């Protein structure tokens, strides 16, 4: 119950990078799409099969470099049940290859609905006398702006299953200021949310001192990263917005503690779509993704030392 497993994998590879598997069908190279379409037609099943083949190749190319992957559920939901089947398959395969899996679901509901989501993504579903794992991710992303009712069922599963969750605090999208930068008493709303996340997770700290509830804080807000890192000493950060969205290694260094711990930085399109810049029609997509991941690792190493 904490981010110990993730921190161990980061230390092992000396790389605080999570590769986002935000796999739209148009990101898949033509030779993979065409093979799937020949077998399944231009259907949701054909698209889902192509996404799976692409994901598997990416995981194979990256498993020895990055500690984690982060599939975004939306890009599988938009392919219907075939897409969700491939998401489950992707999660299972990534875990088999030793990767930590963050399911980017951003759920935020209450009561029995939140309980059902928590069972699906982190826990098990009871079928007769058998507890059946469903998606079985190591970690999820959540929207806590409905309050603790939306978080507690997931936190209960984190404690029971030894897992973790990231809760949105200050996100990297431009319009986040419309809500998250509102004044709430003597602080901004995102700061209040950060304090709530640390309070909700109290009592779940692991070996590295970080609790089972982390915070999502965007790379495009380096001053906020610095501010929240200073205030939230027990909260692990997921930092989106690196690369394609404009965040740099110099920006994200503020997310880490003095030992280079307590954060992981996400890159999606810059790794997924690296093949689009090589002029080889995606035949080298694994090599291109690997090269992009290595470049990101080296950029981060110039600013962050992981002990």
């Amino acid at each position: 119950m904490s981010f110990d497993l993730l921190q161990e994998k980061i230390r092992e590879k000396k790389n605080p990078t999570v590769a986002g598997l935000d796999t739209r069908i148009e990101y898949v190279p033509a030779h993979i799409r065409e093979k799937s379409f020949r077998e399944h037609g231009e259907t949701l099943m054909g698209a889902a099969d192509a996404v799976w083949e692409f994901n598997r190749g990416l995981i194979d190319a990256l498993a020895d470099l990055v500690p984690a992957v982060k599939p975004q559920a939306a890009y599988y939901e938009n392919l219907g049940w075939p897409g969700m089947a491939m998401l489950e398959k992707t999660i299972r395969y990534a875990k088999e290859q030793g990767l930590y899996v963050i399911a980017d679901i951003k759920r935020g509901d209450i009561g029995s609905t939140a309980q059902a989501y928590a069972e699906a993504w982190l826990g098990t579903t009871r079928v007769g006398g058998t507890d059946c794992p469903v998606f079985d991710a190591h970690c999820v992303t959540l929207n806590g702006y409905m309050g603790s009712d939306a978080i507690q069922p997931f936190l209960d599963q984190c404690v029971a299953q030894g897992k973790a969750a990231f809760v949105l605090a200050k996100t990297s999208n431009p319009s986040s200021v419309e809500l998250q930068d509102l004044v709430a008493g003597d602080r901004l709303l995102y700061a209040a949310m950060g304090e709530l996340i640390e309070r909700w997770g109290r009592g779940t700290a692991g070996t590295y001192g970080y609790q089972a509830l982390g915070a999502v804080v965007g790379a495009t807000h380096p001053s906020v990263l610095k501010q929240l890192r200073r205030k939230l000493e027990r909260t692990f950060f997921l930092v989106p917005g690196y690369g394609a969205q404009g965040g740099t290694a110099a920006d994200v260094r503020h997310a880490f503690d003095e030992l280079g711990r307590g954060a992981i930085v996400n890159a999606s399109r810059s790794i997924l779509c690296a093949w689009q810049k090589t002029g080889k029609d995606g035949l080298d997509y694994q090599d291109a993704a690997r090269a992009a991941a290595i470049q990101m690792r080296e950029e981060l190493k110039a600013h962050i030392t992981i002990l």
Side-chain angles (χ1 to χ4, degrees):
M1 66 176 181
S2 70
F3 285 98
D4 281 354
L5 178 59
L6 177 57
Q7 186 63 70
E8 287 166 6
K9 290 182 179 294
I10 291 171
R11 290 188 70 195
E12 175 190 334
K13 295 177 181 174
K14 299 296 182 184
N15 184 7
T17 297
V18 52
L21 298 179
D22 301 358
T23 317
R24 295 188 69 90
I25 185 60
E26 57 264 33
Y27 296 166
V28 179
H31 71 280
I32 298 176
R33 293 199 309 266
E34 289 165 4
K35 181 177 180 294
S36 294
F37 292 166
R38 282 196 300 271
E39 184 173 351
H40 301 286
E42 291 188 357
T43 63
L44 294 176
M45 178 60 77
D49 183 71
V51 164
W52 155 243
E53 291 296 334
F54 185 51
N55 282 354
R56 182 171 62 175
L58 289 170
I59 289 167
D60 289 344
L62 298 172
D64 67 323
L65 285 175
V66 303
V69 292
K70 183 174 69 65
Q72 164 52 257
Y75 297 107
Y76 303 85
E77 291 176 13
N78 75 349
L79 298 177
W81 71 262
M84 295 307 287
M86 295 308 171
L87 173 56
E88 182 185 2
K89 200 172 178 180
T90 294
I91 291 171
R92 185 168 62 249
Y93 188 72
K95 291 174 68 176
E96 289 171 357
Q97 303 312 305
L99 290 165
Y100 188 90
V101 178
I102 303 168
D104 195 353
I105 60 173
K106 295 186 179 71
R107 298 298 192 262
D109 215 323
I110 57 174
S112 58
T113 308
Q115 180 62 40
Y117 278 135
E119 291 167 358
W121 290 99
L122 295 177
T124 60
T125 295
R126 189 78 170 173
V127 181
T130 305
D131 290 322
C132 301
V134 188
F135 293 101
D136 198 26
H138 292 111
C139 181
V140 294
T141 59
L142 303 173
N143 188 336
Y145 281 93
M146 289 182 74
S148 59
D149 292 345
I151 302 302
Q152 192 61 50
F154 289 93
L155 183 57
D156 291 343
Q157 290 292 342
C158 290
V159 172
Q161 304 291 340
K163 297 187 176 181
F166 287 108
V167 184
L168 302 181
K170 177 58 175 168
T171 55
S172 57
N173 59 301
S175 64
S176 68
V177 298
E178 296 172 2
L179 175 65
Q180 295 165 18
D181 284 31
L182 291 177
V183 177
D186 60 350
R187 62 217 153 142
L188 299 182
L189 188 57
Y190 68 75
M193 176 55 74
E195 291 171 15
L196 279 174
I197 293 167
E198 187 141 304
R199 187 193 312 165
W200 291 336
R202 191 172 295 154
T204 65
T207 301
Y208 293 98
Y210 291 99
Q211 300 179 155
L213 287 183
V216 178
V217 186
T220 51
H221 307 292
S223 63
V224 175
L225 279 169
K226 189 173 185 179
Q227 170 198 356
L228 293 183
R229 176 76 288 154
R230 189 168 56 248
K231 289 188 174 183
L232 307 178
E233 296 180 352
R234 295 182 298 278
T235 301
F236 208 99
F237 288 177
L238 170 62
V239 185
Y242 189 93
Q245 293 185 52
T248 68
D251 295 330
V252 303
R253 74 185 191 278
H254 300 298
F256 295 82
D257 66 16
E258 65 277 4
L259 298 176
R261 301 174 186 174
I264 192 162
V265 183
N266 179 76
S268 298
R269 280 173 291 168
S270 58
I271 293 175
L272 282 177
C273 299
W275 64 267
Q276 295 177 350
K277 298 179 180 180
T278 66
K280 297 181 180 179
D281 297 326
L283 297 174
D284 63 337
Y285 78 97
Q286 289 176 295
D287 291 339
R290 189 175 176 84
I294 290 172
Q295 179 181 342
M296 179 177 174
R297 181 190 66 188
E298 296 308 302
E299 290 171 353
L300 292 173
K301 282 174 65 175
H303 294 273
I304 302 154
T305 300
I306 300 171
L307 301 176

PDB file of all heavy atoms in Angstrom, residues 246-266:
ATOM      1  N   GLY A 246       5.062  20.713 -23.920  1.00  0.00           N
ATOM      2  CA  GLY A 246       5.940  21.837 -23.624  1.00  0.00           C
ATOM      3  C   GLY A 246       6.760  21.746 -22.365  1.00  0.00           C
ATOM      4  O   GLY A 246       7.646  22.580 -22.141  1.00  0.00           O
ATOM      5  N   GLY A 247       6.497  20.760 -21.492  1.00  0.00           N
ATOM      6  CA  GLY A 247       7.281  20.621 -20.278  1.00  0.00           C
ATOM      7  C   GLY A 247       8.685  20.125 -20.572  1.00  0.00           C
ATOM      8  O   GLY A 247       8.895  19.313 -21.475  1.00  0.00           O
ATOM      9  N   THR A 248       9.673  20.605 -19.819  1.00  0.00           N
ATOM     10  CA  THR A 248      11.074  20.246 -20.031  1.00  0.00           C
ATOM     11  C   THR A 248      11.645  19.583 -18.779  1.00  0.00           C
ATOM     12  O   THR A 248      11.052  19.613 -17.698  1.00  0.00           O
ATOM     13  CB  THR A 248      11.909  21.490 -20.349  1.00  0.00           C
ATOM     14  OG1 THR A 248      11.972  22.316 -19.156  1.00  0.00           O
ATOM     15  CG2 THR A 248      11.300  22.294 -21.495  1.00  0.00           C
ATOM     16  N   ALA A 249      12.844  19.016 -18.938  1.00  0.00           N
ATOM     17  CA  ALA A 249      13.524  18.404 -17.800  1.00  0.00           C
ATOM     18  C   ALA A 249      13.820  19.434 -16.716  1.00  0.00           C
ATOM     19  O   ALA A 249      13.741  19.142 -15.520  1.00  0.00           O
ATOM     20  CB  ALA A 249      14.803  17.725 -18.271  1.00  0.00           C
ATOM     21  N   ALA A 250      14.170  20.640 -17.137  1.00  0.00           N
ATOM     22  CA  ALA A 250      14.428  21.704 -16.157  1.00  0.00           C
ATOM     23  C   ALA A 250      13.170  22.040 -15.365  1.00  0.00           C
ATOM     24  O   ALA A 250      13.241  22.381 -14.179  1.00  0.00           O
ATOM     25  CB  ALA A 250      14.952  22.944 -16.867  1.00  0.00           C
ATOM     26  N   ASP A 251      12.014  21.942 -16.022  1.00  0.00           N
ATOM     27  CA  ASP A 251      10.752  22.212 -15.337  1.00  0.00           C
ATOM     28  C   ASP A 251      10.422  21.128 -14.310  1.00  0.00           C
ATOM     29  O   ASP A 251      10.042  21.422 -13.169  1.00  0.00           O
ATOM     30  CB  ASP A 251       9.597  22.289 -16.339  1.00  0.00           C
ATOM     31  CG  ASP A 251       9.709  23.459 -17.303  1.00  0.00           C
ATOM     32  OD1 ASP A 251      10.289  24.494 -16.916  1.00  0.00           O
ATOM     33  OD2 ASP A 251       9.213  23.335 -18.450  1.00  0.00           O
ATOM     34  N   VAL A 252      10.559  19.865 -14.708  1.00  0.00           N
ATOM     35  CA  VAL A 252      10.059  18.779 -13.866  1.00  0.00           C
ATOM     36  C   VAL A 252      10.994  18.436 -12.711  1.00  0.00           C
ATOM     37  O   VAL A 252      10.599  17.695 -11.801  1.00  0.00           O
ATOM     38  CB  VAL A 252       9.768  17.509 -14.693  1.00  0.00           C
ATOM     39  CG1 VAL A 252       8.783  17.809 -15.807  1.00  0.00           C
ATOM     40  CG2 VAL A 252      11.036  16.887 -15.252  1.00  0.00           C
ATOM     41  N   ARG A 253      12.206  18.959 -12.702  1.00  0.00           N
ATOM     42  CA  ARG A 253      13.127  18.638 -11.608  1.00  0.00           C
ATOM     43  C   ARG A 253      12.550  19.036 -10.256  1.00  0.00           C
ATOM     44  O   ARG A 253      12.883  18.442  -9.217  1.00  0.00           O
ATOM     45  CB  ARG A 253      14.483  19.310 -11.823  1.00  0.00           C
ATOM     46  CG  ARG A 253      14.511  20.819 -11.569  1.00  0.00           C
ATOM     47  CD  ARG A 253      15.873  21.410 -11.923  1.00  0.00           C
ATOM     48  NE  ARG A 253      16.029  22.776 -11.461  1.00  0.00           N
ATOM     49  CZ  ARG A 253      15.572  23.851 -12.111  1.00  0.00           C
ATOM     50  NH1 ARG A 253      14.929  23.698 -13.255  1.00  0.00           N
ATOM     51  NH2 ARG A 253      15.760  25.062 -11.618  1.00  0.00           N
ATOM     52  N   HIS A 254      11.654  20.018 -10.266  1.00  0.00           N
ATOM     53  CA  HIS A 254      11.072  20.502  -9.010  1.00  0.00           C
ATOM     54  C   HIS A 254      10.110  19.489  -8.387  1.00  0.00           C
ATOM     55  O   HIS A 254       9.733  19.643  -7.218  1.00  0.00           O
ATOM     56  CB  HIS A 254      10.324  21.813  -9.256  1.00  0.00           C
ATOM     57  CG  HIS A 254      11.192  22.913  -9.796  1.00  0.00           C
ATOM     58  ND1 HIS A 254      12.258  23.432  -9.103  1.00  0.00           N
ATOM     59  CD2 HIS A 254      11.145  23.585 -10.981  1.00  0.00           C
ATOM     60  CE1 HIS A 254      12.833  24.382  -9.813  1.00  0.00           C
ATOM     61  NE2 HIS A 254      12.180  24.493 -10.959  1.00  0.00           N
ATOM     62  N   ALA A 255       9.711  18.463  -9.141  1.00  0.00           N
ATOM     63  CA  ALA A 255       8.777  17.473  -8.616  1.00  0.00           C
ATOM     64  C   ALA A 255       9.454  16.476  -7.687  1.00  0.00           C
ATOM     65  O   ALA A 255       8.776  15.766  -6.937  1.00  0.00           O
ATOM     66  CB  ALA A 255       8.108  16.720  -9.772  1.00  0.00           C
ATOM     67  N   PHE A 256      10.798  16.411  -7.713  1.00  0.00           N
ATOM     68  CA  PHE A 256      11.532  15.374  -7.002  1.00  0.00           C
ATOM     69  C   PHE A 256      12.072  15.880  -5.669  1.00  0.00           C
ATOM     70  O   PHE A 256      12.334  17.070  -5.502  1.00  0.00           O
ATOM     71  CB  PHE A 256      12.682  14.877  -7.878  1.00  0.00           C
ATOM     72  CG  PHE A 256      12.224  14.196  -9.138  1.00  0.00           C
ATOM     73  CD1 PHE A 256      11.871  14.946 -10.256  1.00  0.00           C
ATOM     74  CD2 PHE A 256      12.122  12.820  -9.195  1.00  0.00           C
ATOM     75  CE1 PHE A 256      11.429  14.328 -11.419  1.00  0.00           C
ATOM     76  CE2 PHE A 256      11.678  12.192 -10.347  1.00  0.00           C
ATOM     77  CZ  PHE A 256      11.324  12.944 -11.457  1.00  0.00           C
ATOM     78  N   ASP A 257      12.251  14.937  -4.733  1.00  0.00           N
ATOM     79  CA  ASP A 257      12.842  15.328  -3.464  1.00  0.00           C
ATOM     80  C   ASP A 257      14.370  15.375  -3.589  1.00  0.00           C
ATOM     81  O   ASP A 257      14.923  15.189  -4.677  1.00  0.00           O
ATOM     82  CB  ASP A 257      12.382  14.398  -2.332  1.00  0.00           C
ATOM     83  CG  ASP A 257      12.883  12.956  -2.474  1.00  0.00           C
ATOM     84  OD1 ASP A 257      13.820  12.704  -3.255  1.00  0.00           O
ATOM     85  OD2 ASP A 257      12.318  12.078  -1.797  1.00  0.00           O
ATOM     86  N   GLU A 258      15.049  15.585  -2.483  1.00  0.00           N
ATOM     87  CA  GLU A 258      16.501  15.771  -2.526  1.00  0.00           C
ATOM     88  C   GLU A 258      17.259  14.497  -2.911  1.00  0.00           C
ATOM     89  O   GLU A 258      18.441  14.558  -3.284  1.00  0.00           O
ATOM     90  CB  GLU A 258      17.013  16.292  -1.171  1.00  0.00           C
ATOM     91  CG  GLU A 258      16.850  15.330  -0.011  1.00  0.00           C
ATOM     92  CD  GLU A 258      15.457  15.356   0.622  1.00  0.00           C
ATOM     93  OE1 GLU A 258      14.576  16.076   0.094  1.00  0.00           O
ATOM     94  OE2 GLU A 258      15.266  14.657   1.632  1.00  0.00           O
ATOM     95  N   LEU A 259      16.589  13.355  -2.865  1.00  0.00           N
ATOM     96  CA  LEU A 259      17.194  12.087  -3.272  1.00  0.00           C
ATOM     97  C   LEU A 259      16.792  11.688  -4.691  1.00  0.00           C
ATOM     98  O   LEU A 259      17.089  10.576  -5.136  1.00  0.00           O
ATOM     99  CB  LEU A 259      16.809  10.975  -2.287  1.00  0.00           C
ATOM    100  CG  LEU A 259      17.274  11.166  -0.841  1.00  0.00           C
ATOM    101  CD1 LEU A 259      16.734  10.046   0.046  1.00  0.00           C
ATOM    102  CD2 LEU A 259      18.793  11.227  -0.773  1.00  0.00           C
ATOM    103  N   GLY A 260      16.102  12.586  -5.393  1.00  0.00           N
ATOM    104  CA  GLY A 260      15.635  12.274  -6.741  1.00  0.00           C
ATOM    105  C   GLY A 260      14.500  11.280  -6.745  1.00  0.00           C
ATOM    106  O   GLY A 260      14.319  10.525  -7.705  1.00  0.00           O
ATOM    107  N   ARG A 261      13.704  11.290  -5.706  1.00  0.00           N
ATOM    108  CA  ARG A 261      12.602  10.344  -5.567  1.00  0.00           C
ATOM    109  C   ARG A 261      11.269  11.090  -5.478  1.00  0.00           C
ATOM    110  O   ARG A 261      11.217  12.296  -5.398  1.00  0.00           O
ATOM    111  CB  ARG A 261      12.795   9.477  -4.318  1.00  0.00           C
ATOM    112  CG  ARG A 261      14.088   8.685  -4.319  1.00  0.00           C
ATOM    113  CD  ARG A 261      14.296   7.949  -3.000  1.00  0.00           C
ATOM    114  NE  ARG A 261      15.615   7.307  -2.955  1.00  0.00           N
ATOM    115  CZ  ARG A 261      16.107   6.698  -1.881  1.00  0.00           C
ATOM    116  NH1 ARG A 261      15.399   6.657  -0.771  1.00  0.00           N
ATOM    117  NH2 ARG A 261      17.310   6.134  -1.929  1.00  0.00           N
ATOM    118  N   GLY A 262      10.177  10.314  -5.522  1.00  0.00           N
ATOM    119  CA  GLY A 262       8.863  10.881  -5.255  1.00  0.00           C
ATOM    120  C   GLY A 262       8.113  11.401  -6.453  1.00  0.00           C
ATOM    121  O   GLY A 262       7.094  12.076  -6.290  1.00  0.00           O
ATOM    122  N   ALA A 263       8.575  11.072  -7.683  1.00  0.00           N
ATOM    123  CA  ALA A 263       7.853  11.553  -8.857  1.00  0.00           C
ATOM    124  C   ALA A 263       8.167  10.678 -10.061  1.00  0.00           C
ATOM    125  O   ALA A 263       9.216  10.028 -10.123  1.00  0.00           O
ATOM    126  CB  ALA A 263       8.215  13.009  -9.161  1.00  0.00           C
ATOM    127  N   ILE A 264       7.239  10.687 -11.014  1.00  0.00           N
ATOM    128  CA  ILE A 264       7.450  10.038 -12.302  1.00  0.00           C
ATOM    129  C   ILE A 264       6.861  10.942 -13.376  1.00  0.00           C
ATOM    130  O   ILE A 264       5.812  11.564 -13.182  1.00  0.00           O
ATOM    131  CB  ILE A 264       6.835   8.621 -12.341  1.00  0.00           C
ATOM    132  CG1 ILE A 264       7.321   7.865 -13.581  1.00  0.00           C
ATOM    133  CG2 ILE A 264       5.319   8.649 -12.209  1.00  0.00           C
ATOM    134  CD1 ILE A 264       7.132   6.363 -13.495  1.00  0.00           C
ATOM    135  N   VAL A 265       7.570  11.040 -14.498  1.00  0.00           N
ATOM    136  CA  VAL A 265       7.237  11.998 -15.556  1.00  0.00           C
ATOM    137  C   VAL A 265       6.668  11.233 -16.749  1.00  0.00           C
ATOM    138  O   VAL A 265       7.292  10.284 -17.243  1.00  0.00           O
ATOM    139  CB  VAL A 265       8.475  12.797 -15.977  1.00  0.00           C
ATOM    140  CG1 VAL A 265       8.105  13.839 -17.027  1.00  0.00           C
ATOM    141  CG2 VAL A 265       9.124  13.459 -14.758  1.00  0.00           C
ATOM    142  N   ASN A 266       5.532  11.674 -17.239  1.00  0.00           N
ATOM    143  CA  ASN A 266       4.876  11.001 -18.367  1.00  0.00           C
ATOM    144  C   ASN A 266       5.242  11.643 -19.703  1.00  0.00           C
ATOM    145  O   ASN A 266       5.294  12.858 -19.834  1.00  0.00           O
ATOM    146  CB  ASN A 266       3.357  11.058 -18.203  1.00  0.00           C
ATOM    147  CG  ASN A 266       2.643  10.386 -19.355  1.00  0.00           C
ATOM    148  OD1 ASN A 266       2.586   9.165 -19.441  1.00  0.00           O
ATOM    149  ND2 ASN A 266       2.092  11.181 -20.271  1.00  0.00           N
TER     150      ASN A 266
END
